[in-house]
């Protein structure tokens, strides 16, 4: 590592000789835990001056936490962060900024009612005797905007009046006003139209040509191919692949590094030649514009149907629409032959549907409440007479569920907050076992669940099916869908592109189906 | 996740609230360590005992206030008869706001806020003392006050649940509008209550205890039962604690939100009768700033302003603490201004204690804490 002294303001720094310049940032075994969660569990990262380093990973892989560690919002529990050759630990975001690390968050942190120049120099305005030197600030802003190729943006314009792309330019102007040497961009293209993305890339190339390093986060593989130099992949808070060449790494490898399991899971055997019951759930032509279109599917009693698809393929939206949490624009959902009232969760629950939603903590649990109250959240009125709850019976029932699911801890009066992810998921699944649920919708049932608990959950799901419950399962992990489901639907861009028995598909086939189309455009696979 | 003492799992299923006297006594000589908690004590130290622990602290504050009173006016406090009479007058002082506070506690646990309670009390009070209403007798007056209270609460709830107005704004608008309507109805005059039954509510004692205190006790007990023993209470906690989870569990969140504001209006209607009886009259400016007193009492009582957790007993203790402070200043002949400053200080202290316990007041940090724990 070169111990080169500070070469002065980076704005006037000579362009790096090569793209692979000196290493400016190196992370070794960085760990960050929050109570109950290891958000970062050994991250390695190496960023060179003048490169665009892409970070890939699914939701929950730890990208956001990593950004916050670099931006000085969080401090790592252990591991080493070296910035320009020196071990550092930023006490706060201002310290990271002063050191030359600027972060452009997805939700741009601009003040809408201040001007472009005021936003660019927010917090470090040039001043004299306490008065802001507005002329100088406007001049500097104009210079920076010129460097970004956007001299046409007036420094005095209110940020509110700018389009999304313009706001992003202001964010970058702010980074440059801090003389940043590393700019972290969190999904910058998410808010941009197609031609604006081109412009963004042009700006990024100009920045890197000046020796500035960029950490670029995006879900869109084709963007990574176009702008990225190297890729680091995160999964479950760990670096699963570092410094892959962005242009030449096969899509399939990137995807499997993001989603692939590190451990072989044990799936329960499918019962042999079991006779499936009648059709429970019949979905016909279900459509919500921009989310999914013309989806038809059936689930029989005792059958596990899996939906494979990427985030954004419309699968979670589909589940919520079947469940009545969203209202379909067209199409019908029938349960045992009877049409469900659209947009009514209550009607769906009464008809025998239950759902374990994607975001356990924010969508399913009362974290401060005891386990038993969470288990009975959908059914507590059953233990009530004239509105008075028979708490003894309620707890006894919850206790029975806790026992049959082997929840730990077994004391159902403990707050759900204190449980591990797997046990929290058991609480959510157990909720629907009390109600005589006929059809269970499981959205990412094993997200954030550790390996041992996963196998248990798989057993629980298979056992439910054996008892005649129909299961509709969504998972980003293709092996999970293939291993658990009897029948598999593959979704891409809101449409079902393939339906088959699980045995007829393999992981590669599904990945090809899932990734085909726009994601592969221009990408050498 | 296996750190729970084995003793707890051998317990027969029982409802979490244990006889408070028993837990209190047991808590006094138990070590505060989790590991040492066994048997019934595990509840006290456990997750569900938190509200009870906090309420005991509020009782401690009351004891301290009593001690201050005894120290500053030892001449009065040496007379047991006076002490008893003084305690009753404190409870009487607390009764009207106390009833309003019960409704407010439900609204706040359910994730909302009701700024219009004082205005509803005034509107209900004025409406039930018009010449026309009084001609129907005490029953007609009580009926009118309660119907007006519930009706205004339903308007609040409809605007918030189905009109998707922010509770703060909807009830702020109602605060202004209801007092305006009250002034309109009363023609800005003070309306004298001629009904001796109504007026007697405030002046009658039963077994030596004022009727107003019985009403407060009845409302508090009803509120406690409703919150802790019924499906309504369970829904309130769910809707306030995690509305999305409640919705996805099949709970009709909007209807329940509507009912919460109606309940608050009901409490205001009851309070209107009590206040009218005390003053033997009603006017548009009555129950001034009750919303602040009620919200402050709820906060001091340990109910989270962001919803999802709180206790009726805590709110009651909050009201009584305020009334005791008022009383303390009165018997020492101190000014009402100094008293308000002390009250303000107590509110800040209560919130600071909450902050220490929960990381921060702001919802963002609370969410953050929850999602990462």
């Amino acid at each position: 590592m070169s111990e080169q002294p500070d070469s002065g303001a980076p704005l006037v720094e000579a362009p790096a000789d090569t793209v692979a310049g000196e290493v400016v940032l190196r992370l070794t075994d960085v760990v960050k835990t929050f109570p109950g969660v290891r958000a970062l569990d050994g991250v390695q990262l190496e960023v060179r001056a003048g490169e665009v380093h892409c970070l890939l990973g699914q939701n929950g892989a730890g990208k956001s936490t990593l950004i916050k560690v670099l931006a000085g919002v969080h401090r790592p529990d252990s591991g080493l962060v070296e910035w320009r050759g020196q071990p550092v630990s930023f006490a706060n975001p201002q310290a990271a900024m002063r050191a030359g690390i600027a972060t452009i968050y997805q939700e741009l942190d601009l003040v809408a009612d201040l001007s472009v120049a005021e936003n660019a120099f927010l917090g470090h305005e040039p001043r004299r005797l306490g008065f802001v030197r507005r002329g100088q600030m406007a001049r500097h802003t104009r210079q920076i905007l010129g460097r970004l190729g956007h001299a046409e943006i007036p420094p005095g314009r209110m940020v509110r009046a700018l389009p999304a792309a313009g706001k992003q330019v202001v964010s970058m102007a702010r980074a440059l006003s801090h003389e940043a040497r590393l700019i972290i961009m969190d999904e910058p293209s998410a808010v941009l139209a197609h031609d604006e993305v081109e412009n963004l890339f042009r700006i990024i190339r100009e920045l890197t040509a000046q020796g500035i390093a960029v950490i670029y986060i995006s879900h869109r593989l084709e963007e990574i191919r176009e702008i990225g130099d190297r890729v680091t992949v995160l999964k479950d808070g760990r670096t699963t692949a570092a410094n892959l060449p962005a242009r030449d790494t096969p899509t399939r490898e990137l995807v499997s590094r993001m989603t692939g399991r590190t451990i072989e899971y044990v799936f329960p055997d499918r019962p042999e030649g079991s006779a499936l019951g009648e059709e429970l759930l019949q979905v016909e032509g279900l459509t919500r514009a921009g989310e999914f279109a013309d989806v038809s599917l059936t689930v029989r009693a005792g059958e596990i149907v899996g939906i494979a698809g990427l985030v954004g393929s419309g699968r979670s939206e589909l589940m919520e629409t079947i469940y009545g949490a969203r209202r379909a624009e067209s199409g019908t959902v029938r349960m045992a032959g009877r049409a469900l009232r659209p947009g009514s969760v209550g009607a769906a629950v009464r008809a025998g549907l239950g759902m374990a939603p994607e975001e356990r903590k924010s969508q399913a649990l009362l974290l401060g409440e005891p386990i038993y109250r969470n288990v009975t959240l959908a059914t507590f009125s059953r233990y009530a007479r004239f509105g008075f709850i028979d708490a003894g019976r309620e707890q006894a029932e919850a206790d029975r569920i806790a026992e049959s699911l082997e929840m730990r801890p077994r004391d159902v009066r403990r707050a759900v907050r204190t449980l591990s992810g797997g046990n929290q998921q058991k609480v959510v699944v157990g909720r629907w076992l009390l109600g005589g649920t006929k059809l269970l919708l499981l959205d990412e049932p094993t997200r954030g669940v550790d390996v041992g608990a996963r196998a248990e959950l798989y057993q629980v799901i298979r056992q439910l099916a054996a008892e005649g419950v129909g299961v509709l399962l969504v998972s980003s992990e293709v092996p999970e869908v293939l291993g658990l489901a009897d029948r598999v639907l593959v979704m891409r861009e809101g449409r079902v592109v393939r339906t088959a028995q699980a045995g007829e598909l393999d992981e590669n086939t599904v990945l090809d189906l899932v990734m085909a189309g726009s994601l592969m455009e221009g990408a050498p696979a | 996740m296996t750190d729970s003492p084995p003793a707890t799992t051998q317990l027969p299923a029982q409802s979490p609230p244990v006889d408070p006297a028993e837990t209190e006594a047991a808590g006094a000589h138990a070590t505060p360590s989790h590991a040492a908690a066994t048997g019934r004590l595990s509840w006290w130290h456990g997750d569900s005992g938190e509200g009870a622990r906090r309420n005991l602290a509020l009782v401690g504050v009351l004891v301290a206030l009593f001690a201050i009173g005894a120290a500053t006016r030892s001449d009065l406090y040496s007379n047991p008869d006076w002490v008893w009479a003084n305690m009753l007058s404190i409870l009487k002082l607390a009764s009207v706001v106390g009833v309003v506070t019960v409704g407010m506690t439900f609204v706040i646990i359910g994730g909302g806020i009701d700024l219009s309670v004082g205005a509803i009390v005034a509107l209900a009070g004025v409406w039930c003392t018009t010449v026309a209403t009084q001609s129907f007798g005490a029953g007609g007056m009580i009926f009118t006050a309660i119907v007006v209270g519930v009706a205004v609460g339903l308007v609040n709830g409809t605007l918030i649940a189905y009109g998707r107005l922010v509770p703060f704004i909807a009830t702020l608008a109602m605060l202004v509008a209801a007092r305006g309507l009250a002034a309109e109805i009363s023609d800005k005059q003070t309306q004298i209550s001629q009904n001796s039954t109504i007026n007697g509510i405030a002046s009658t004692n039963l077994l030596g205890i004022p009727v107003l205190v019985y009403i407060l006790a009845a409302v508090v007990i009803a509120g406690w039962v409703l919150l802790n023993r019924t499906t309504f209470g369970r829904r309130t906690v769910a809707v306030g604690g995690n509305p999305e989870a409640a919705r996805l569990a099949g709970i009709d969140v909007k209807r329940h939100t509507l009912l919460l504001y109606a309940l608050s209006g009901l409490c205001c209607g009851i309070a209107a009768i009590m206040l009218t009886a005390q003053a033997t009259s009603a006017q548009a400016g009555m129950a001034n700033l009750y919303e602040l007193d009620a919200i402050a009492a709820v906060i001091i009582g340990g109910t989270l302003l962001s919803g999802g957790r709180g206790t009726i007993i805590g709110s009651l203790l909050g009201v009584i603490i305020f009334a005791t402070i008022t009383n303390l200043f009165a018997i020492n002949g101190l000014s009402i201004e100094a008293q308000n400053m002390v009250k303000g200080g107590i509110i800040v202290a209560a919130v600071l204690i909450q902050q220490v316990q929960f990381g921060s007041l702001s919802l963002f940090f609370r969410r953050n804490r929850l999602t990462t724990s």
Side-chain angles (χ1 to χ4, degrees), chain A residues 34-37 323-325 345-346 349 355 357 361-367 369 372-373 376-378 380-381 384 387-389 391-392 394-396 408-411 413-415 417-420 423-424 431-432, chain B residues 1-5 8-9 11-16 42-43 47-48 50 225 227-232 234-235 237-251 308-309 364 368-373:
Chain A
F34 298 104
V37 178
Y323 189 58
V345 173
V349 170
M355 183 164 83
K361 286 174 180 171
S362 65
Q363 293 186 294
L365 293 171
L366 301 166
L367 290 167
E369 291 286 295
Y372 78 92
R373 289 193 175 193
T376 60
L377 187 65
F380 56 76
S381 51
F388 288 86
I389 297 174
E394 181 193 8
Q395 278 194 41
R408 283 173 301 270
R410 276 295 323 285
D411 181 0
R413 290 165 300 162
R414 289 282 295 269
R417 191 197 302 129
T418 62
L419 268 58
S420 67
N423 281 294
Q424 288 184 348
R431 172 180 301 166
W432 300 109
Chain B
M1 287 307 138
T2 51
D3 56 343
S4 76
T8 57
T9 56
L11 274 179
Q14 62 168 49
S15 54
S42 68
W43 164 79
D47 305 313
S48 44
E50 191 179 327
V225 170
L227 182 62
N228 295 294
R229 287 287 180 265
T230 70
T231 54
F232 184 90
R234 196 61 69 76
R235 284 189 201 107
V237 173
V239 165
N242 190 340
E244 178 72 356
R247 189 174 77 99
L248 291 180
I251 294 172
R309 207 190 54 212
F364 166 75
N368 197 33
R369 175 178 178 273
L370 291 178
T371 49
T372 53
S373 63

Side-chain angles (χ1 to χ4, degrees), chain A residues 161-319:
Chain A
L162 296 178
K167 289 176 182 162
Q168 208 162 49
V169 171
V170 177
S171 278
M172 282 188 238
R174 179 189 286 173
L176 292 186
S177 80
H178 279 280
E179 307 185 346
R181 290 168 166 271
L182 168 65
I183 302 181
I184 303 166
M185 300 182 186
D186 188 2
E187 298 219 34
S189 62
V191 293
L192 300 182
H194 192 70
D195 55 330
E196 293 171 333
V197 174
E198 282 308 311
N199 191 37
L200 170 71
F201 287 174
R202 195 180 51 72
I203 295 173
I204 291 177
R205 289 193 189 99
E206 279 172 25
L207 291 174
T208 52
Q210 294 164 21
I212 294 172
V214 171
I215 294 181
Y216 188 91
I217 294 166
S218 173
H219 284 303
R220 301 182 186 168
L221 282 182
E222 75 268 30
E223 287 178 8
I224 289 170
R225 301 262 186 234
E226 185 175 345
I227 191 70
D229 294 309
R230 296 189 300 167
V231 180
T232 291
V233 185
L234 293 184
K235 178 176 184 295
D236 297 337
R238 287 196 191 90
T239 300
T240 52
N243 307 329
L244 301 173
R247 286 175 192 82
D248 308 329
T249 310
T251 300
R252 193 171 301 158
E253 181 177 348
L254 291 176
V255 172
S256 71
R257 299 275 191 182
M258 283 164 63
T259 63
R261 67 237 123 117
T262 44
I263 295 144
E264 290 286 332
Y265 294 119
V266 183
F267 294 99
D269 292 335
R270 293 186 182 84
E272 280 178 41
S274 66
L276 296 173
E278 76 240 53
E279 284 190 354
L280 268 181
L281 179 76
Q282 295 161 312
V283 175
E284 263 169 51
L286 213 59
T287 299
R288 265 178 71 92
E291 293 176 355
F292 54 87
D294 197 26
V295 173
S296 298
L297 61 90
T298 59
V299 181
R300 305 171 83 98
E303 185 181 31
I304 302 177
V305 175
I307 298 178
L310 292 178
V311 172
S313 64
R315 35 174 226 188
S316 294
E317 292 82 0
L318 172 66
M319 294 280 257

